[in-house]
Amino acid sequence: MKKILFLISLVILFFFIYQVTFQKETLFFTIGSKEGDIYYDKEDLRITEISMAIEQNELVRNRTFQNILVKASTIQIDLNKIVRLTTYQALLVELDDLEELFSLMRKYCKEKIKLIPLKESSEMAEYMNQKISILGKKYDIIISR
């Protein structure tokens, strides 16, 4: 009887150790807002700054940017904080920068990326949201509504 109790307690101990050591970390990372476990938000944040931060592997909350992209279970990007609608020429440049950012993020992140589209109701915002939805399909990015 003592041997059976010992074996049962040993199995329970191994199960507990397995659960603690091999539990997957869920990390919610946001860019442009402060909602996630880890967030990247600066005043007057631009798309090119985010791309440069990824390429230079900056520290974000004591973790490297590329490591966060690899480990994050979900990444959320708020376009209202990083896109500036001034002229159509600037809008086209931002679309190119955004496509470069998406390809760079997909280089490190294979998990879900969610975008919060622009909330303005101007003609430029609608155009930008349409182009962003096309980019979202190309890079397998979820557009939140």
Side-chain angles (χ1 to χ4, degrees):
M1 187 69 173
K2 288 182 181 181
K3 289 181 182 181
I4 293 174
L5 288 175
F6 177 73
L7 287 175
I8 291 174
S9 62
L10 197 60
V11 168
I12 291 172
L13 178 68
F14 284 134
F15 180 74
F16 178 73
I17 291 172
Y18 176 80
Q19 290 295 323
V20 169
T21 56
F22 293 107
Q23 188 174 13
K24 186 178 178 186
E25 179 182 7
T26 57
L27 183 66
F28 179 55
F29 177 60
T30 59
I31 298 174
S33 69
K34 297 181 180 179
E35 296 176 2
D37 300 329
I38 296 177
Y39 57 88
Y40 184 73
D41 186 31
K42 294 181 179 178
E43 193 170 322
D44 199 32
L45 186 63
R46 301 285 182 172
I47 299 168
T48 53
E49 290 177 30
I50 300 168
S51 297
M52 285 176 46
I54 295 171
E55 288 173 350
Q56 295 174 354
N57 206 13
E58 281 185 13
L59 282 178
V60 179
R61 309 284 180 245
N62 297 324
R63 295 179 106 171
T64 60
F65 211 121
Q66 294 172 5
N67 181 272
I68 293 170
L69 292 177
V70 170
K71 300 280 183 175
S73 61
T74 304
I75 298 172
Q76 181 176 318
I77 303 171
D78 189 358
L79 293 178
N80 294 297
K81 304 282 182 160
I82 63 174
V83 172
R84 309 291 186 278
L85 300 176
T86 54
T87 64
Y88 275 105
Q89 185 65 29
L91 187 126
L92 293 175
V93 170
E94 286 190 357
L95 276 171
D96 289 339
D97 291 343
L98 197 59
E99 184 170 10
E100 180 183 322
L101 175 66
F102 290 162
S103 68
L104 188 61
M105 288 181 78
R106 277 295 173 210
K107 182 178 175 182
Y108 297 102
C109 177
K110 304 299 182 214
E111 301 297 326
K112 290 190 293 189
I113 298 176
K114 294 181 182 179
L115 284 179
I116 298 174
L118 298 172
K119 294 179 182 169
E120 294 182 31
S121 60
S122 67
E123 193 174 299
M124 286 195 324
E126 289 177 20
Y127 176 77
M128 185 75 162
N129 284 336
Q130 288 175 350
K131 292 297 184 180
I132 288 170
S133 70
I134 293 169
L135 285 177
K137 289 177 185 174
K138 180 178 178 182
Y139 291 100
D140 191 29
I141 296 173
I142 301 167
I143 310 291
S144 302
R145 295 285 174 192

